[in-house]
Amino acid sequence: MTDLVTTDVVVIGGGLAGLWLNYRLRNAGYSTVLLEKDSLGGGQSIRSQGIIHGGTKYALNGALTSAANAIADMPARWRSCLAGEGEVDLSAARILSEHHYMWSKAQLTSKLTTFFASKAVRGRIDALKDSERPEAFQDRRFKGSLYALNELVLDVPSVVHALAEPFQETMYQLDCSQPGVIDFDGERIKGIHINGRRRSVRIEAQCYVLTAGEGNEALLHGSGLPGPAMQRRPLHMVMVKHDYPHPIYAHCIGTGSKPVLTITTHPAEDGKFVWYLGGNLAETGVELAGPEQIQKAQELVAELLPWIDLGQAQWASFFINRAEPRQSNLLRPDNAFMARTGNALVCWPTKLALSPALSDEVLDDLQTQGITPKEQTDYSLLAGLPHPKVSLPVWEQLLS
Ligand code: FAD
């Protein structure tokens, strides 16, 4: 016996991209079913550093690149959502820092100083007077430059809660890469098939959106859907839990076009702070084993912030991939990505910050295809499926 559930859009994957899109679809009147394999946000999203970039880190060679321009509007868009006035309501989400900062150990080259003072980046990068520096950079031994960026840092678990909470009853735990779940006839997805012990359920939709991050690849291969190729850009992230009281949210820039180190600070459940360390440290550390990467991080922190004593700190590291549409030479894509294949849309936001831009692309595509809100969904037929929980932050898993 198979029950048929109809809905306008099935969203596969409950990371930031799927949750943001789901929220916007619901606001636009579409009925949706969101299917998540494990926990909401538990892929890349809750493991991200939560920086809502405005593109500054893509301009470190002293010019505005197309990547810097593509992302420039995102902080304002997120800010209006955080104020409860935007396309999704993030008023319950927590802002960790109103600014991300950028510091250099030594004085910057005159080319960069001139660029950072230029009209091209006005409103995006502000040089700070000594008295305006965050506490962690008030020490006399700090001799470099410090800028405030028009970028926010968010507590991503609280963002995931805010996006999921209104619709959690319509989100279900299901691994859609299991054989037979996606019923693809060679041209279109005909339905999502869920085998139950006594009854089976089939979900049929006007459109299926794949926002499964790194999981998109298995979904495409497993179902036979012809789709865009994916790339993985690996990182070896480091975390340190300590008693140092002043948070840091900043890129340390050197002479290269990428930050040497990016630090964000996150409150742990036991009241301590966790510094989460990314940037070039994480990109270049992928060949190192955990203890070597931690040692490299300790040396880098001691070199770049010699006045800070982290005391009896607890360190950990882990590997994670950024999943994106394939580019030549494994380059970073500039924009959110969406590709239509039959009645499916395959998506990667490529940055958490670009989730709003991705949702625009999907909504525009639905409109172009004439897919309008139509179906009433009988969620009671899905009552046997569990609802996914919001993932724990990675430091609560690895630094308890
Ligand atoms: P994910 O968050 O990975 O979500 C995909 C979801 O799909 C997961 O919940 C997964 O369980 C689910 N799924 C997978 N397979 C299946 C399946 N078969 N069936 C059902 N569900 C499935 N971006 C920024 O803008 N700012 C930052 O500061 C930043 N920092 C980062 C730091 C790190 C260490 C990393 C790795 C990335 C960072 N990013 C950042 C990039 C950003 O995290 C990602 O671009 C974004 O989170 C991707 O969101 P997503 O929803 O596409 O993917």
Side-chain angles (χ1 to χ4, degrees):
M1 181 79 188
T2 301
D3 290 320
L4 178 65
V5 176
T6 52
T7 196
D8 290 319
V9 183
V10 167
V11 178
I12 303 178
L16 236 295
L19 292 170
W20 194 289
L21 172 65
N22 184 63
Y23 201 124
R24 285 203 66 198
L25 288 168
R26 298 300 285 247
N27 276 354
Y30 290 94
S31 55
T32 60
V33 171
L34 185 144
L35 302 171
E36 163 57 47
K37 181 173 72 153
D38 297 318
S39 55
L40 300 171
Q44 296 160 85
S45 297
I46 285 184
R47 293 175 174 224
S48 79
Q49 293 194 274
I51 306 164
I52 305 305
H53 297 284
T56 318
K57 79 166 181 176
Y58 308 137
L60 294 182
N61 51 4
L64 282 174
T65 57
S66 61
N69 288 327
I71 205 166
D73 297 340
M74 290 303 126
R77 212 158 147 185
W78 281 77
R79 278 186 208 277
S80 72
C81 296
L82 289 156
E85 294 160 0
E87 63 206 59
V88 301
D89 182 1
L90 296 183
S91 54
R94 182 167 174 198
I95 300 175
L96 293 176
S97 178
E98 285 289 347
H99 290 285
H100 195 60
Y101 295 85
M102 189 165 70
W103 97 94
S104 63
K105 191 175 157 232
Q107 290 303 319
L108 288 173
T109 61
S110 60
K111 181 186 172 197
L112 266 191
T113 318
T114 310
F115 175 62
F116 290 159
S118 70
K119 233 158 94 185
V121 294
R122 191 162 299 157
R124 286 167 142 193
I125 305 178
D126 289 317
L128 293 182
K129 295 192 200 105
D130 291 358
S131 58
E132 295 170 333
R133 289 180 186 162
E135 300 262 23
F137 293 94
Q138 291 284 351
D139 195 278
R140 275 184 297 111
R141 282 166 285 178
F142 172 58
K143 300 276 185 255
S145 310
L146 187 75
Y147 294 87
L149 309 180
N150 178 21
E151 303 186 349
L152 296 155
V153 188
L154 301 181
D155 174 56
V156 181
S158 70
V159 175
V160 169
H161 271 289
L163 291 172
E165 205 265 333
F167 311 110
Q168 207 144 10
E169 294 306 307
T170 61
M171 299 178 179
Y172 302 92
Q173 204 171 27
L174 182 74
D175 181 351
C176 297
S177 67
Q178 292 297 310
V181 171
I182 296 183
D183 178 7
F184 176 64
D185 71 359
E187 278 183 29
R188 299 173 68 75
I189 296 182
K190 295 177 71 188
I192 302 286
H193 196 79
I194 308 161
N195 264 330
R197 231 176 284 152
R198 275 188 240 126
R199 298 176 87 90
S200 298
V201 186
R202 186 176 173 79
I203 308 172
E204 292 184 358
Q206 301 193 65
C207 180
Y208 301 80
V209 185
L210 276 57
T211 49
E214 193 172 2
N216 276 350
E217 189 177 67
L219 288 172
L220 291 170
H221 288 169
S223 62
L225 264 166
M230 192 182 87
Q231 71 182 21
R232 293 175 173 82
R233 286 190 307 128
L235 294 171
H236 191 171
M237 300 295 288
V238 178
M239 294 173 292
V240 50
K241 194 196 260 190
H242 52 74
D243 295 314
Y244 181 72
H246 306 304
I248 295 186
Y249 303 94
H251 299 303
C252 177
I253 55 171
T255 48
S257 62
K258 289 184 176 175
V260 181
L261 180 68
T262 299
I263 306 181
T264 48
T265 307
H266 306 263
E269 268 176 17
D270 61 6
K272 295 193 175 198
F273 279 132
V274 175
W275 279 3
Y276 195 23
L277 309 179
N280 217 33
L281 168 76
E283 297 213 356
T284 56
V286 292
E287 304 294 336
L288 301 182
E292 290 171 285
Q293 175 72 343
I294 288 172
Q295 192 185 339
K296 191 172 148 195
Q298 288 168 336
E299 287 165 5
L300 194 59
V301 168
E303 180 199 332
L304 300 178
L305 300 162
W307 60 91
I308 294 181
D309 177 8
L310 292 179
Q312 293 299 310
Q314 202 186 345
W315 296 76
S317 77
F318 72 97
F319 294 90
I320 184 163
N321 292 319
R322 290 162 293 178
E324 300 160 346
R326 186 174 299 163
Q327 313 288 300
S328 54
N329 300 328
L330 269 189
L331 288 173
R332 171 179 40 74
D334 289 348
N335 274 310
F337 176 91
M338 183 206 76
R340 175 170 276 282
T341 168
N343 58 347
L345 298 174
V346 184
C347 304
W348 288 282
T350 74
K351 279 270 143 202
L352 184 95
L354 284 165
S355 298
L358 177 65
S359 67
D360 288 347
E361 290 204 30
V362 174
L363 281 153
D364 287 351
D365 182 90
L366 295 183
Q367 211 173 17
T368 308
Q369 300 290 324
I371 297 173
T372 52
K374 193 166 86 181
E375 305 290 348
Q376 297 278 341
T377 303
D378 183 355
Y379 294 102
S380 69
L381 296 172
L382 296 166
L385 289 176
H387 299 295
K389 295 198 173 70
V390 174
S391 168
L392 278 179
V394 63
W395 42 90
E396 300 300 347
Q397 297 168 31
L398 300 182
L399 287 175
S400 51

